[in-house]
Amino acid sequence: MRVQRVWEVAQKDLAEISTNKGALFGVIFIPALLTLLGVASTYMVAQAVAAGRIPAAGAPAAIYAVLLLMLLIPTTTSTVIGSMSVVLERTGRTLEPLLATPVRDRELLWGKAIPPLAFGVGGAYLAFGVVFLAGDIFLAAAHLPIEFPGWFGLFAMLVLATLLGLLASFVSLLISSRSKELRTAQWYSFLVALPLFGGVIAAFAAVPKTWLAYSVAVGVLIAVTAGVVWLVTDRFQRATILLGSP
Amino acid sequence: MSDSQTVIEAEQIKHAYTPGRYALNGLSFSVQRGEVFGLLGRNGAGKSTLIKVMTTLLRPSEGSLRILGLNPAREGRRIRSRIGVVQQSESFDFTSVEGNFDIYGVLWGLPAEERIRRRNDLIARFGLEDLRRRRSFDLSGGQKRRVQVAREFMHDMEILFLDEPTVGLDVIMRRTLLDSIRAEVRRGLTVVFTTHNLEEADYLCDRIAVVDQGRLLALETLENLKRLYGGRKTIDLTVSGPHDAAFYETLRARLGGESTVTVSGRSAVIMAADPKATLAVILALAQERGVGLDWLNVRQNTLEDVFLKSVGHEGESIGST
């Protein structure tokens, strides 16, 4: 696999995303909305603790729930962009010249996975940065003896965001490569990605908040993600991509 | 059995986008190394589908196909690394003209120095100097087409597939492009190209396949195609008067099966085995029916006549495959 070729494919997609209103919705609106929600939620938790409406001991769990919800950013953004990646190019007939080159299937797939991954995961990193900073400020301003989930929490969220972004990107790419139209691709992609998100969130909400328990859970998720990436790479069929059929 | 001189071998190729409706319906042909092979046909005849099948973009539903002795289903990448394809669709228009050449260089794995050398050479050869820093998206249709064709020469290839390469080009650029292709053919390149333009096919092709409704109606050298009509000449005729339709009906009956009469409104194209006798019949009939002769011209057959004759008789193959 040649990195330069992957990058050329990715550049082509990045350029097309920048001119597509639907893609911009996924790239800007969803992360912005969820960041706002995260900031507002941490503020409300801080205020609720300060006013005695919830006990201080319950604050970390409430904040953690907000952070987990923010993992919707890599899931939805990657799904929106990944699902339109192939199907839009097919309907616009811009994919054919690329398919006629010696680009390998893996190079094509990874090149197409970079934009949904970059926007989904990049957006999530940015959002978590903002919310962590806001959380620290709000809790300090309320003079509360609660630490916003520190480096461990941040690290856990970034790892989860990356893995969910990977999962959503590859699944939606596969669906996009086998769909005849954009609406179908997006519908089926969300149908797969959202339960996947729900499952991951439910599992991690139940995992004890220790390094060991997290490491094991993340290890399992890495294995699942690797399996899905392998499966998608294996099922990605160049010869049927122009037809958009299984 | 494939030999090194045969670069494309198609045997009963079929392709259906929807079950039962064949875009390609049992095409068999071969293309020899160094040949310019023209695919001629109306819109929707199956030319572009055939190009897609030959360039590994689509798999044939039935039949066997070998490109450069390789099986497209199993060795697609090896085929793609040895061919060039200029399609009707645009791509890579987000970047500059220069960027287009660079992308193709990268996709074909050219080292940086070689990439720059070839890029500069092609930009000069195709008269793109003034456009080199312009974004492809902002170019005119003809300019985009020039870039599309030129960038394909960034890499070495054995077969070049061109799907209507001259659409949108002005006369001078069209001739420049055709001459460039001819020059590459002299160096041993095999070219397969589709066109509506019969003059182009006449100018460039060694052999021509006439395709209609996914079937091969004719496949011959240009000379043979014209000769198929046994030294026939074409008579162009335009009549005036109230009974022109009846005139043509009677004319067709009197000329019999020896000549073909293709009528369009008040005009007709007649392919005549014996032009003198045909002219006599026309003049006598015109006098008899009181029909005026507005235009009467006798000329040698052109490729257009052959094409019209071919697609006018659906399913009836002419020539050999």
Side-chain angles (χ1 to χ4, degrees):
Chain A
M1 192 157 80
R2 292 192 187 187
V3 176
Q4 231 182 334
R5 279 192 191 145
V6 173
W7 180 234
E8 293 297 351
V9 176
Q11 266 189 299
K12 182 174 184 289
D13 272 27
L14 286 166
E16 278 172 27
I17 287 165
S18 67
T19 58
N20 186 296
K21 283 180 186 167
L24 290 176
F25 169 81
V27 170
I28 297 168
F29 183 74
I30 296 173
L33 186 73
L34 284 163
T35 306
L36 206 65
L37 189 74
V39 171
S41 302
T42 50
Y43 175 76
M44 283 190 282
V45 168
Q47 293 300 307
V49 173
R53 287 196 300 274
I54 56 171
I63 290 168
Y64 187 64
V66 172
L67 295 180
L68 283 178
L69 190 69
M70 283 180 63
L71 288 171
L72 266 173
I73 295 173
T75 313
T76 53
T77 304
S78 297
T79 302
V80 167
I81 297 168
S83 61
M84 60 176 50
S85 172
V86 179
V87 77
L88 271 190
E89 278 218 76
R90 179 170 45 244
T91 50
R93 299 191 65 195
T94 56
L95 193 60
E96 293 168 25
L98 181 62
L99 289 176
T101 68
V103 150
R104 291 172 192 273
D105 290 1
R106 273 167 202 274
E107 292 164 343
L108 186 65
L109 189 64
W110 276 95
K112 289 212 153 283
I114 284 176
L117 199 56
F119 285 117
V121 176
Y125 282 15
L126 199 67
F128 280 122
V130 171
V131 172
F132 268 72
L133 188 68
D136 272 342
I137 293 169
F138 295 147
L139 291 172
H143 304 293
L144 295 173
I146 306 163
E147 265 190 42
F148 198 79
W151 289 111
F152 171 73
L154 183 61
F155 176 73
M157 288 305 135
L158 298 187
V159 169
L160 283 178
T162 308
L163 294 175
L164 274 170
L166 262 170
L167 277 171
S169 298
F170 274 82
V171 166
S172 56
L173 263 175
L174 181 66
I175 292 170
S176 184
S177 74
R178 291 173 174 230
S179 304
K180 281 194 186 343
E181 53 177 48
L182 179 61
R183 201 172 289 231
T184 315
Q186 289 188 327
W187 174 250
Y188 281 110
S189 296
F190 273 106
L191 216 59
V192 176
L194 288 179
L196 211 64
F197 163 79
V200 170
I201 298 310
F204 274 83
V207 168
K209 285 143 197 79
T210 64
W211 280 101
L212 181 65
Y214 259 95
S215 302
V216 172
V218 165
V220 171
L221 188 58
I222 287 174
V224 170
T225 307
V228 168
V229 170
W230 177 85
L231 189 74
V232 170
T233 311
D234 186 59
R235 303 307 301 166
F236 186 72
Q237 289 181 355
R238 189 187 193 122
T240 58
I241 206 168
L242 285 184
L243 304 173
S245 56
Chain B
M1 189 69 187
S2 161
D3 59 75
S4 63
Q5 286 308 305
T6 304
V7 290
I8 300 174
E9 272 183 294
E11 192 72 42
Q12 286 299 311
I13 293 289
K14 289 188 177 186
H15 183 80
Y17 288 104
T18 49
R21 294 187 66 183
Y22 289 103
L24 302 178
N25 198 353
L27 297 177
S28 297
F29 61 91
S30 63
V31 178
Q32 303 302 305
R33 191 174 291 279
E35 185 177 18
V36 182
F37 187 83
L39 287 167
L40 209 58
R42 299 187 273 211
N43 285 330
K47 307 183 300 287
S48 294
T49 303
L50 182 56
I51 291 277
K52 281 178 189 160
V53 165
M54 288 191 285
T55 55
T56 78
L57 297 183
L58 291 175
R59 274 193 197 153
S61 319
E62 292 172 42
S64 101
L65 178 65
R66 293 195 84 78
I67 308 290
L68 296 161
L70 302 167
N71 182 343
R74 287 198 304 271
E75 298 161 297
R77 190 171 177 274
R78 286 182 66 194
I79 293 171
R80 286 191 291 275
S81 65
R82 292 167 66 184
I83 63 171
V85 190
V86 176
Q87 288 156 328
Q88 290 184 39
S89 42
E90 293 162 13
S91 196
F92 303 107
D93 57 1
F94 65 89
T95 186
S96 65
V97 168
E98 219 171 49
N100 264 267
F101 287 90
D102 285 338
I103 288 175
Y104 267 61
V106 169
L107 294 178
W108 261 270
L110 290 183
E113 273 181 32
E114 178 67 3
R115 207 160 64 216
I116 294 165
R117 191 189 66 73
R118 286 197 189 198
R119 180 189 73 193
N120 292 340
D121 172 49
L122 287 168
I123 283 177
R125 238 168 81 191
F126 281 82
L128 296 166
E129 283 290 358
D130 296 342
L131 307 173
R132 64 189 301 159
R133 305 217 189 281
R134 292 255 306 269
R135 199 165 69 122
S136 285
F137 185 80
D138 301 324
L139 302 180
S140 72
Q143 289 169 332
K144 280 182 187 174
R145 207 78 183 125
R146 256 154 77 191
V147 174
Q148 271 179 286
V149 175
R151 74 186 179 194
E152 208 57 53
F153 289 101
M154 279 294 283
H155 58 93
D156 296 326
M157 61 196 135
E158 291 171 62
I159 311 175
L160 175 60
F161 294 89
L162 299 147
D163 196 358
E164 298 188 14
T166 55
V167 170
L169 295 185
D170 59 47
V171 179
I172 295 167
M173 202 54 230
R174 181 182 295 170
R175 182 49 67 96
T176 307
L177 175 63
L178 295 179
D179 287 341
S180 300
I181 295 169
R182 265 188 163 180
E184 295 295 332
V185 170
R186 277 196 288 273
R187 288 177 210 156
L189 181 69
T190 307
V191 174
V192 176
F193 95 121
T194 70
T195 183
H196 287 125
N197 191 318
L198 300 161
E199 275 175 46
E200 264 171 40
D202 215 344
Y203 183 71
L204 204 60
C205 294
D206 297 313
R207 281 195 306 154
I208 291 170
V210 182
V211 182
D212 195 47
Q213 297 186 345
R215 286 173 296 180
L216 207 55
L217 298 186
L219 173 52
E220 277 296 347
T221 62
L222 191 59
E223 288 310 308
N224 278 352
L225 266 182
K226 290 180 183 173
R227 213 177 293 135
L228 268 173
Y229 295 90
R232 291 179 183 194
K233 289 197 173 174
T234 299
I235 299 170
D236 298 311
L237 174 65
T238 304
V239 298
S240 59
H243 308 299
D244 50 4
F247 169 82
Y248 283 127
E249 256 178 54
T250 314
L251 180 64
R252 197 177 268 141
R254 287 197 186 168
L255 291 175
E258 286 298 302
S259 301
T260 58
V261 182
T262 310
V263 181
S264 170
R266 294 192 299 114
S267 301
V269 177
I270 303 162
M271 283 196 182
D274 183 350
K276 275 186 187 170
T278 305
L279 278 174
V281 172
I282 292 169
L283 292 172
L285 187 63
Q287 201 162 25
E288 186 184 315
R289 295 289 168 100
V291 166
L293 299 179
D294 287 357
W295 176 256
L296 184 63
N297 180 43
V298 183
R299 60 180 168 82
Q300 285 288 347
N301 280 341
T302 64
L303 185 55
E304 188 170 338
D305 302 318
V306 175
F307 176 71
L308 287 172
K309 165 77 176 161
S310 309
V311 298
H313 289 71
E314 288 175 8
E316 180 191 319
S317 293
I318 58 172
S320 60
T321 58

